[in-house]
Amino acid sequence: MPKITILRNGKTYEVAAGTNFLEFCQDQDVPHDFGCTVGSCGTCVLVLEKGAENVSPASAEEKETVEMCTSVKGARLGCQMKVLGDVTVRALD
Ligand code: FES
């Protein structure tokens, strides 16, 4: 099972492959900020310190939103990302 490590709280969680990061945070009460939950506000932007290759690819819409809210290379939207393997997540705020 994939493991998600959250740098903000220093915890690591096991999840089923294909878990949506937003749903994981809601289910586990993980401290990560969300707004619209549909990929348009950028509140949930994050960086994968490890495991960038272990998540679903970004859609054109996600890339557009990320570009509007940060210049950090490789940033992703937590509400749009599915976890497929081990990742380490750092919130951008
Ligand atoms: S919560 Fe708005 S883009 Fe993810």
Side-chain angles (χ1 to χ4, degrees):
M1 297 231 300
K3 290 187 180 69
I4 302 176
T5 299
I6 303 292
L7 293 182
R8 183 174 271 173
N9 66 7
K11 290 187 179 172
T12 298
Y13 307 79
E14 277 199 347
V15 299
T19 295
N20 173 277
F21 185 74
L22 163 65
E23 288 167 11
F24 153 74
C25 289
Q26 290 172 334
D27 289 350
Q28 299 292 328
D29 210 15
V30 170
H32 190 87
D33 296 334
F34 293 93
C36 68
T37 73
V38 294
S40 57
C41 73
T43 304
C44 63
V45 71
L46 56 81
V47 167
L48 295 165
E49 293 285 343
K50 289 184 192 159
E53 70 282 10
N54 291 336
V55 295
S56 55
S59 66
E61 291 80 9
E62 179 179 344
K63 287 178 185 164
E64 223 172 86
T65 301
V66 167
E67 279 171 20
M68 281 192 307
C69 62
T70 183
S71 56
V72 174
K73 202 170 171 338
R76 297 295 307 265
L77 297 179
C79 69
Q80 300 298 297
M81 183 180 81
K82 287 193 172 72
V83 178
L84 308 171
D86 294 358
V87 293
T88 299
V89 173
R90 176 167 61 87
L92 276 184
D93 55 12

